[in-house]
Amino acid sequence: MFEPVITSKFCKSLAISPTVCGRKESRRCQPGETISTATSSLQALPPGCSPIPRTQRGRMKLLAAVLLAAGLLSTAAGKEQPPRPDEPSKTCFFQTLSSVDREFCRGDLEIIYPELGDVGCTYIPKCHQYRRRISKEWGSPRVRYPQAEESKKYVLVLVDPDAPSRANPRNRFWRHWLVTDIPGADLQTGDIQGRVLTAYVRPTPPPRSGYHRYQLRLYEQPAHEAIALSPEERVSLGAWAMENFVEQFRLGSPVASTQFLTKYHED
């Protein structure tokens, strides 16, 4: 157990001069001692002798010293108490994805939300209402790709392949964001500007549908390629044939990709 160390100031308040059968004995503690050492060094009193000072001033000094010592001991003991199991933790733990889901994260692509930072390859934690805030409060994230070439333009795609659930993805892919003609210099800083084909839609997993993957793909845009959605694609966000879109505009494989997982904020 932690043992408080006595200071010079405390010694002055702890000085005790008990009357021992008609003669006075005094013993002052030494700075640097511990309370148990100092108190154990006091001589035992013979039977019939009272350790309590006879004057009111003496009794008050003794009471103050005892209360001070008790306070130090209780404070030290309190510091040793572990947190109770029912106390909510103030620490947020960010869990990385499973090895299977981590394989999707390639090329150091960062997706950055307020307070959370880069959420690539992680689960969104429930603490601090982060799942609710990403679904209801925060706007589009910053997207950073340090390896982007300033002379090139890029296409950004954010989709949910698990609509309405990962077990039954009949509405795959749900389109959440589509931006073309992004300058490479913007991706280096994370503040992207480009031609928005689909405005950012917040992640909104349905209740009791489990975790959803939100996948961000970055493609290098072919030179002089005018990219657009068909009238049918513009009507609906769900059940988007993303592979056909990629093939139609010769986007090839992503130069980088990442994803995060989250679920309904009250689940």
Side-chain angles (χ1 to χ4, degrees):
M1 185 179 75
F2 172 79
E3 184 71 65
V5 176
I6 295 174
T7 63
S8 299
K9 186 176 181 181
F10 180 67
C11 284
K12 293 180 181 179
S13 65
L14 194 63
I16 302 174
S17 299
T19 299
V20 184
C21 297
R23 61 187 177 89
K24 291 185 177 180
E25 286 191 3
S26 64
R27 190 247 177 210
R28 289 189 177 272
C29 62
Q30 299 300 317
E33 286 187 309
T34 63
I35 288 178
S36 62
T37 304
T39 53
S40 64
S41 299
L42 293 175
Q43 295 182 5
L45 299 179
C49 294
S50 173
I52 302 177
R54 296 183 179 181
T55 65
Q56 184 174 357
R57 182 180 178 184
R59 287 195 295 270
M60 292 300 293
K61 288 180 65 177
L62 175 60
L63 177 60
V66 171
L67 290 176
L68 180 58
L72 287 172
L73 290 173
S74 62
T75 301
K79 290 180 180 178
E80 291 186 293
Q81 296 296 325
R84 293 180 300 178
D86 58 347
E87 288 181 345
S89 174
K90 296 181 180 179
T91 304
C92 261
F93 294 96
F94 289 76
Q95 183 180 353
T96 58
L97 302 184
S98 67
S99 57
V100 173
D101 285 332
R102 279 201 308 271
E103 292 178 0
F104 185 84
C105 305
R106 297 179 181 178
D108 299 324
L109 182 61
E110 301 174 9
I111 178 167
I112 303 165
Y113 282 96
E115 299 186 24
L116 291 173
D118 181 18
V119 299
C121 250
T122 63
Y123 291 91
I124 302 299
K126 190 174 183 180
C127 55
H128 303 314
Q129 301 188 28
Y130 284 144
R131 290 179 190 162
R132 184 188 66 80
R133 298 174 74 183
I134 202 172
S135 295
K136 295 183 177 294
E137 293 183 15
W138 294 331
S140 59
R142 296 175 63 228
V143 176
R144 185 170 176 267
Y145 181 55
Q147 290 82 6
E149 299 181 35
E150 294 186 6
S151 61
K152 295 182 178 179
K153 292 187 176 181
Y154 296 83
V155 178
L156 184 70
V157 179
L158 177 64
V159 294
D160 174 6
D162 303 324
S165 69
R166 192 164 184 172
N168 182 26
R170 62 180 182 272
N171 290 328
R172 173 185 294 177
F173 291 90
W174 198 277
R175 197 169 66 252
H176 280 261
W177 203 12
L178 177 57
V179 185
T180 67
D181 299 283
I182 302 172
D186 289 0
L187 285 166
Q188 292 177 0
T189 63
D191 300 313
I192 63 172
Q193 302 289 330
R195 193 162 68 95
V196 179
L197 301 186
T198 300
Y200 175 76
V201 178
R202 296 184 181 103
T204 51
R208 298 177 297 279
S209 63
Y211 281 102
H212 285 234
R213 293 169 291 173
Y214 290 88
Q215 298 179 335
L216 190 72
R217 293 172 170 87
L218 184 68
Y219 299 91
E220 185 178 312
Q221 184 169 332
H224 313 296
E225 186 73 51
I227 300 175
L229 292 170
S230 68
E232 293 77 18
E233 288 175 314
R234 290 196 295 267
V235 170
S236 175
L237 299 175
W240 181 44
M242 184 187 66
E243 293 95 338
N244 293 342
F245 176 85
V246 169
E247 183 179 356
Q248 177 185 353
F249 295 105
R250 299 177 297 132
L251 298 180
S253 299
V255 295
S257 58
T258 191
Q259 66 177 346
F260 64 87
L261 271 67
T262 188
K263 60 181 178 179
Y264 185 64
H265 62 278
E266 293 184 358
D267 287 354

